[in-house]
Amino acid sequence: MRTRDFKRPFQYKKIPINELRLQQEKDKTDRARNTAGTIKRIWSYLTREKGMLLLVILMVFISSAMGLAGPFMVGRAIDDFIVTQDPSGLGMLLVWLFIIYGLHSLSVFLQNYWMVGIAQNTVYSLREELFQQFHRLPIAFFDKRQHGELMSRITNDIDNINNTLNQSVIQIFTSILTLIGTVVVMLVLSPLLTLITMMIVPVMFLAIRWITKRTGPLYKLQQQHLGKLNGYVEETVSGQHVIKTFSQEKRVIREFQEHNENLQHSGFWAQTFAGFIPKVMNMLNFLSFGLVGLAGGILAIQGIITVGVIVIFTEYARQFTRPLNELSNQFNILLSAVAGAERVFNIIDEKQEETDETSALDIDSTDGRLTFDKVYFAYEDTPILKEISFTAYSGQTVAFVGHTGAGKTTIINLISRFYNYDSGAITLDGIDLKDIKRSSLRKHMAFVLQDAFLFHATIKENIRYGRLDASNDNIMKAAKDANAHDFIERLPNGYDTILDQDGSGISQGQKQLITIARAILADPAILVLDEATSNIDTVTELQIQDALKRLMRGRTSFVIAHRLNTIQEADKIIMLEQGEIIEQGSHQELIAQQGHYFDLYKGQLKDHA
């Protein structure tokens, strides 16, 4: 039996010192602004639940007070009843101890129960705000980022925040209150023993500072590597057909292992340094107990303090170091959550798609007459379009041709206002596009793209996406006009057939027919076609072309063409080269000119000969 060659679960690797130093340098400039600012923003979400938060804080006060009262009562029992051998009041004291620890347990349960609700409401708001922000961001934002990495923000990072809120907020409150209360009672009982106990605090502070200086950047590296890993997984899952077609499985697995190892080792070192804290704290706890026991014994022998005070102090010394220990542990968890929260807030703070002017118009109808007048557009300081001028009259079909990178898709993006042009003017029925609300403009547009996108839903719901208030009869009519009705009816569940996200189960041509039906149902005045018939078999292509002709009738249509035989009937053909119009006219006019278009057309004829 053939065994598979797996790596060992973990291979020791040195700390990623270069990445750590880069992250530490970045943190020096960002820490004051980011960490404090991020915690403040998380707190602003928590305070939306003021009523429940006040109840939680009240329960924290009660549990902390009961936690302090318990050891004090035990110490009094030793001095008043055990040392004196007078058990007369011991029974009542035990009753009080039962009440104290009962209240402590009840308050701890309630504060945890209510805090879970606050945490869930907080991450619900964060997740909803982040998702809404995704839909307010410009298309350019998504063009520059891995989709899987963005998905990691709304899943892993927000889950990290949720876990921290559930674990850390109450613990931090409790630890601070316990620390303050313990110091006050210790000072009342014995200032000298309090001073001895606090001798370990500077050592604790220096140790924690040394550790957290490394854990913070390592947690951020861990979150970054997790985001990159998620992005890579999403990319490879979506591209399985391409990977298998080119037999790149081994390369993809190797690259995944690199991402996985980066995450493994950054996580290993983050957890390793974080694990130092409880070990250091335990060692200092034992040192503190030893000092308290030694000094307390000497003071008790001299009659300065009682045995009960030593017992109380020993317990309070433990309670004094325990909050410090818990605060240091929670600080590590908090750093991890802050790293995730920063990634979430970075998206929320991204510049949104430019808002419409308050004077922007809602247009109820349009003739579809669209004019470009000396339009210039640059993407990240790189000129894409230069002095573009043309007019598409109502009902005309305008086709764009040219080599890859000539600017065809950019023109479409400007028409739909996915981008705003830098200078010149684009007008619709004489109104500048910037003076029309985006939602109003796009309401009169429909797109049939080269890559047909369908949602994980029924065919009926996918077609209805073009007009949500459409009846079943409207949907069926649109499908018939798109030549999609016959094949839909042959499916096991007809229009109620559920499609996967990539539309598997039906052919590429059938997916395209569904998107055409969706566009027909939307009944747009302006239509955008991005080579909707590419990579389709001949029979289906004829069906699609017939459906497109029916769809384009009476509408202003913009076609991005790669195969010139599909646009010979266009009213106007615009040839682009390096962002400039070099020729425009009808097919016959351009052929007669025997220029660039003629050469391109002749070359395609030769290729298909």
Side-chain angles (χ1 to χ4, degrees):
M1 180 176 170
R2 185 168 173 256
T3 58
R4 298 181 68 181
D5 183 20
F6 286 112
K7 283 192 170 185
R8 287 180 297 166
F10 182 77
Q11 293 181 340
Y12 178 80
K13 196 174 185 179
K14 290 184 179 180
I15 185 172
I17 192 68
N18 292 332
E19 286 185 280
L20 177 61
R21 284 174 178 169
L22 288 172
Q23 190 64 52
Q24 286 175 331
E25 289 299 318
K26 185 176 183 297
D27 281 357
K28 286 180 182 179
T29 57
D30 291 349
R31 187 180 294 118
R33 174 173 55 85
N34 283 353
T35 303
T38 301
I39 293 173
K40 186 176 179 181
R41 286 183 71 170
I42 295 174
W43 179 251
S44 71
Y45 284 87
L46 288 173
T47 54
R48 295 178 184 179
E49 305 285 336
K50 287 188 177 69
M52 290 181 66
L53 193 61
L54 286 173
L55 287 173
V56 169
I57 293 173
L58 176 62
M59 291 301 105
V60 170
F61 270 103
I62 292 174
S63 64
S64 299
M66 295 302 101
L68 290 171
F72 185 82
M73 296 293 285
V74 171
R76 300 316 305 166
I78 292 172
D79 284 342
D80 296 343
F81 305 114
I82 297 175
V83 173
T84 62
Q85 296 184 353
D86 179 14
S88 58
L90 189 59
M92 181 56 65
L93 187 139
L94 291 174
V95 171
W96 277 110
L97 277 175
F98 179 80
I99 293 171
I100 286 170
Y101 286 119
L103 284 173
H104 180 269
S105 299
L106 179 63
S107 60
V108 168
F109 168 78
L110 290 175
Q111 70 192 30
N112 288 330
Y113 177 78
W114 287 327
M115 193 63 214
V116 168
I118 294 173
Q120 288 298 320
N121 291 339
T122 298
V123 296
Y124 173 87
S125 299
L126 264 177
R127 195 178 289 116
E128 189 172 62
E129 189 172 337
L130 181 59
F131 187 74
Q132 290 176 358
Q133 174 71 347
F134 281 154
H135 295 282
R136 298 190 190 105
L137 293 169
I139 291 295
F141 172 85
F142 297 97
D143 291 342
K144 295 184 290 186
R145 287 167 173 79
Q146 281 186 313
H147 295 172
E149 200 272 339
L150 294 177
M151 289 167 60
S152 180
R153 311 276 177 116
I154 205 168
T155 53
N156 296 325
D157 289 333
I158 288 185
D159 280 346
N160 197 8
I161 296 169
N162 178 42
N163 293 334
T164 301
L165 292 179
N166 282 326
Q167 297 174 21
S168 300
V169 173
I170 290 177
Q171 197 62 62
I172 289 171
F173 272 128
T174 303
S175 298
I176 292 173
L177 288 175
T178 302
L179 196 61
I180 294 171
T182 301
V183 171
V184 170
V185 177
M186 287 169 66
L187 285 171
V188 171
L189 292 173
S190 174
L192 179 58
L193 282 180
T194 303
L195 180 63
I196 292 171
T197 304
M198 288 187 154
M199 287 172 59
I200 64 169
V201 173
V203 181
M204 284 184 177
F205 176 77
L206 291 174
I208 292 171
R209 187 170 181 272
W210 184 87
I211 295 169
T212 54
K213 187 178 179 182
R214 287 152 180 80
T215 53
L218 284 168
Y219 274 126
K220 290 183 180 180
L221 284 177
Q222 181 181 349
Q223 292 299 115
Q224 290 170 11
H225 289 151
L226 179 60
K228 290 178 181 178
L229 180 69
N230 285 334
Y232 189 77
V233 170
E234 192 273 339
E235 185 179 79
T236 53
V237 169
S238 300
Q240 275 299 302
H241 285 88
V242 178
I243 292 169
K244 292 184 184 300
T245 299
F246 290 95
S247 301
Q248 293 296 316
E249 292 92 341
K250 290 184 178 179
R251 183 184 65 82
V252 168
I253 291 172
R254 185 173 63 252
E255 290 179 355
F256 173 81
Q257 287 175 340
E258 291 175 4
H259 286 293
N260 202 18
E261 285 179 4
N262 287 335
L263 176 59
Q264 179 189 37
H265 292 294
S266 59
F268 169 79
W269 283 111
Q271 298 301 325
T272 297
F273 275 100
F276 288 161
I277 289 180
K279 307 301 184 295
V280 171
M281 298 300 290
N282 285 335
M283 182 185 69
L284 294 175
N285 281 344
F286 293 140
L287 176 62
S288 175
F289 291 157
L291 291 174
V292 169
L294 177 62
I298 294 172
L299 293 175
I301 291 171
Q302 295 177 352
I304 298 175
I305 61 173
T306 65
V307 174
V309 171
I310 296 175
V311 173
I312 296 172
F313 232 93
T314 303
E315 181 61 24
Y316 278 178
R318 185 178 67 83
Q319 288 205 20
F320 175 74
T321 53
R322 186 182 66 190
L324 290 175
N325 192 4
E326 289 171 346
L327 282 172
S328 60
N329 286 332
Q330 296 307 321
F331 188 70
N332 276 298
I333 297 172
L334 192 63
L335 284 175
S336 177
V338 167
E342 282 181 3
R343 286 161 49 83
V344 172
F345 290 137
N346 285 342
I347 300 294
I348 292 176
D349 294 337
E350 277 284 339
K351 186 178 179 181
Q352 298 179 2
E353 189 173 45
E354 293 181 16
T355 56
D356 296 317
E357 297 292 337
T358 53
S359 58
L361 303 172
D362 266 316
I363 53 174
D364 296 325
S365 61
T366 174
D367 293 334
R369 188 182 81 255
L370 196 136
T371 300
F372 273 58
D373 182 16
K374 296 182 179 178
V375 171
Y376 176 88
F377 173 76
Y379 183 74
E380 295 184 346
D381 299 325
T382 301
I384 305 297
L385 297 178
K386 309 162 193 173
E387 302 291 315
I388 300 295
S389 296
F390 67 88
T391 298
Y393 294 99
S394 177
Q396 278 193 335
T397 296
V398 176
F400 302 103
V401 299
H403 299 293
T404 301
K408 304 183 296 296
T409 301
T410 302
I411 289 178
I412 298 302
N413 286 332
L414 294 182
I415 292 172
S416 55
R417 287 197 66 192
F418 290 141
Y419 298 100
N420 275 332
Y421 51 91
D422 298 320
S423 63
I426 304 176
T427 60
L428 177 63
D429 298 340
I431 305 171
D432 196 301
L433 288 191
K434 293 180 180 179
D435 295 330
I436 302 173
K437 290 183 180 178
R438 284 184 177 85
S439 58
S440 182
L441 171 67
R442 293 168 187 168
K443 182 175 64 178
H444 298 288
M445 301 181 69
F447 296 78
V448 180
L449 306 177
Q450 182 175 352
D451 296 321
F453 182 85
L454 298 175
F455 295 94
H456 178 63
T458 64
I459 291 177
K460 184 193 301 179
E461 289 167 334
N462 269 284
I463 296 175
R464 184 178 276 129
Y465 208 79
R467 181 159 57 89
L468 297 180
D469 61 350
S471 66
N472 290 341
D473 290 339
N474 295 144
I475 292 170
M476 190 173 295
K477 183 179 183 305
K480 288 178 179 178
D481 290 342
N483 293 330
H485 176 75
D486 290 341
F487 91 80
I488 294 173
E489 285 288 282
R490 289 195 298 269
L491 294 173
N493 296 312
Y495 284 84
D496 292 319
T497 301
I498 297 176
L499 300 175
D500 294 332
Q501 187 173 1
D502 60 354
S504 58
I506 60 175
S507 69
Q508 181 66 33
Q510 289 170 335
K511 286 193 287 184
Q512 196 66 282
L513 291 174
I514 292 174
T515 63
I516 293 171
R518 184 163 62 194
I520 290 174
L521 187 65
D523 192 22
I526 300 172
L527 183 66
V528 175
L529 307 174
D530 184 359
E531 195 53 74
T533 61
S534 62
N535 303 320
I536 303 295
D537 63 88
T538 305
V539 175
T540 307
E541 181 179 1
L542 292 174
Q543 289 181 314
I544 291 175
Q545 286 180 345
D546 179 63
L548 289 176
K549 286 179 181 178
R550 196 175 294 117
L551 174 60
M552 295 164 67
R553 192 176 299 132
R555 295 181 170 92
T556 305
S557 302
F558 297 95
V559 182
I560 296 177
H562 302 285
R563 293 187 293 181
L564 303 186
N565 64 319
T566 63
I567 58 165
Q568 293 182 26
E569 297 179 11
D571 298 288
K572 184 180 294 183
I573 298 172
I574 296 175
M575 184 156 188
L576 297 160
E577 187 173 300
Q578 295 182 354
E580 296 181 286
I581 296 177
I582 56 174
E583 291 177 0
Q584 62 177 306
S586 67
H587 174 74
Q588 291 77 13
E589 290 170 346
L590 294 178
I591 292 296
Q593 291 178 18
Q594 295 194 6
H596 294 82
Y597 179 84
F598 175 78
D599 293 337
L600 186 62
Y601 181 71
K602 189 171 60 175
Q604 287 197 4
L605 286 178
K606 182 185 292 186
D607 291 338
H608 289 87

